[in-house]
Amino acid sequence: QDFHYSQLDQNLPLINPATTGTFSGFERVSLQHRNQWLGAGTQFMTSMGMVEFSIGKIARKKSAYSGIGIYFVNDVGGDSKFSIKTGGITASGILPISRSHSISAGIHAAYTNRSADFSRLSFLNQWNGTEFDPTVNSGETSGISSFSHLDAGAGVTYSYNKDIENSLNSNELSFQGGFAIQHLNRPKLRYTSLVDDRLYMKLCMHLNARYGLSSKSNMELSAAQFIQGKHYETVVGLFYRLKMKGESRVTSLVSNQYFVFGSYFRSVGTVIPTIYLDLGSFSIGVSYDFEFGELASMYRQSVEVSLKFNSGKKSIFQSSKLR
């Protein structure tokens, strides 16, 4: 299986490249870090950084434009320090089909290195009756400690939003849903010198919907279904968004600010309380996984933090501002 995050809405371009650039604003920087299974006796950590650019986007106007994203992911875990390092590019084309409706399509290409230090592992035949003795020859082949491969994916999305600033009044709705396929080229996984396994293609369906309860608050629903080989995972999130401060219609220097709280739920038996502080151009989110399924007997609790900066008022590529 691939690495994954609980706060799936914070890294949608990694799930579906068609969502690249489909945010309110011009450029965006996203950072995300996950420390999984605290207290497991070893560390499992995933870190991600991404920069998105909008090319040809015009403030307050519904015209076609494109999005470009550049990202890097470092996933490392276990006693062998099994590592997946990925650098890639996502690209999308966004086409408005009316004032409130748009569709987009995207592709992604990446270069990935996978590595491990097998000398850090212990095997059953190294047990000397009292402890594991690393000086005892295990007789196990070390396999291939490092290899690299190319990766590719594609996706499509549909979006409905009456307000470019993502501000909802009572009974108003915004929606984004999409479908994506990752690992289209099914890269070879050369973990040993004898077998070339292939990475399964990964299918993903996702949606995010917001409904305005009043001019001061709205509800948000997020959901995603992942299918990769025999592995299935469903993630659903429900959140309440409370407006703390409205945007300035005069200076355009202040955006809507929200306090968001709720929880994600993962189908394997995980409840994930989450809070976000959305200050318009800057947001921070914190979530904490509680395992209740089969994994709970061995591993419990994971923590995740996300940070975002959005240049929503002025593009670095042009002098125009939102007014």
Side-chain angles (χ1 to χ4, degrees):
Q1 287 179 284
D2 292 337
F3 56 83
H4 66 271
Y5 286 102
S6 292
Q7 299 177 38
L8 59 93
D9 303 298
Q10 305 305 303
N11 56 21
L12 272 180
L14 295 185
I15 297 173
N16 186 346
T19 63
T20 306
T22 60
F23 54 91
S24 177
F26 295 100
E27 289 83 41
R28 181 167 67 179
V29 178
S30 303
L31 301 172
Q32 201 160 353
H33 177 76
R34 177 178 177 84
N35 192 341
Q36 186 163 316
W37 297 333
L38 304 175
T42 187
Q43 290 186 320
F44 296 83
M45 294 190 293
T46 308
S47 302
M48 182 275 294
M50 185 171 193
V51 182
E52 295 173 76
F53 304 93
S54 299
I55 301 175
K57 191 174 189 178
I58 302 175
R60 301 284 191 192
K61 292 186 178 181
K62 294 291 186 178
S63 58
Y65 66 96
S66 59
I68 298 291
I70 303 171
Y71 71 90
F72 178 78
V73 177
N74 182 39
D75 178 65
V76 60
D79 293 339
S80 67
K81 300 298 181 183
F82 183 85
S83 173
I84 302 174
K85 293 181 173 64
T86 300
I89 297 175
T90 63
S92 67
I94 299 93
L95 177 65
I97 53 180
S98 72
R99 181 173 179 81
S100 302
H101 305 263
S102 65
I103 57 175
S104 61
I107 58 174
H108 113 268
Y111 179 82
T112 298
N113 176 263
R114 298 172 183 251
S115 63
D117 183 359
F118 296 103
S119 67
R120 300 172 62 93
L121 298 178
S122 298
F123 298 89
L124 185 61
N125 58 6
Q126 292 179 301
W127 180 258
N128 62 15
T130 304
E131 61 182 1
F132 282 100
D133 184 354
T135 63
V136 176
N137 184 6
S138 68
E140 299 285 343
T141 58
S142 62
I144 298 174
S145 59
S146 178
F147 64 93
S148 301
H149 61 79
L150 298 176
D151 205 350
V156 294
T157 64
Y158 160 77
S159 300
Y160 170 77
N161 194 345
K162 293 180 65 176
D163 192 323
I164 195 172
E165 290 300 307
N166 267 336
S167 177
L168 297 177
N169 293 316
S170 178
N171 298 322
E172 289 185 343
L173 175 71
S174 69
F175 174 88
Q176 184 181 66
F179 174 79
I181 303 177
Q182 300 177 10
H183 316 309
L184 276 171
N185 57 326
R186 296 204 61 193
K188 290 183 178 181
L189 304 179
R190 301 189 303 274
Y191 291 120
T192 73
S193 58
L194 301 176
V195 179
D196 280 345
D197 292 328
R198 285 189 175 272
L199 190 60
Y200 285 111
M201 285 192 293
K202 186 174 184 177
L203 308 181
C204 173
M205 294 170 285
H206 64 90
L207 68 86
N208 178 276
R210 295 179 183 177
Y211 180 76
L213 301 176
S214 69
S215 61
K216 297 294 185 180
S217 64
N218 59 71
M219 295 296 296
E220 180 176 358
L221 172 68
S222 295
Q225 175 66 58
F226 302 96
I227 304 172
Q228 187 174 17
K230 296 181 179 180
H231 299 282
Y232 298 82
E233 183 180 54
T234 304
V235 182
V236 177
L238 185 63
F239 300 93
Y240 179 76
R241 299 170 57 86
L242 178 64
K243 184 184 291 186
M244 300 185 299
K245 190 174 184 178
E247 68 170 345
S248 171
R249 297 294 183 181
V250 177
T251 65
S252 293
L253 295 178
V254 180
S255 298
N256 291 318
Q257 300 180 8
Y258 290 91
F259 176 69
V260 186
F261 62 92
S263 181
Y264 294 100
F265 306 89
R266 188 176 292 118
S267 57
V268 295
T270 309
V271 178
I272 310 160
T274 305
I275 58 172
Y276 294 103
L277 186 61
D278 185 351
L279 301 179
S281 61
F282 177 81
S283 67
I284 180 171
V286 180
S287 62
Y288 199 89
D289 294 30
F290 289 93
E291 302 284 354
F292 293 99
E294 295 180 2
L295 287 175
S297 61
M298 294 292 293
Y299 306 115
R300 290 181 183 270
Q301 290 87 47
S302 304
V303 65
E304 188 172 310
V305 178
S306 62
L307 298 170
K308 280 188 176 181
F309 175 76
N310 183 358
S311 62
K313 299 301 179 184
K314 182 178 179 180
S315 172
I316 63 174
F317 296 112
Q318 58 189 21
S319 60
S320 64
K321 299 180 181 179
L322 292 178
R323 295 191 185 278

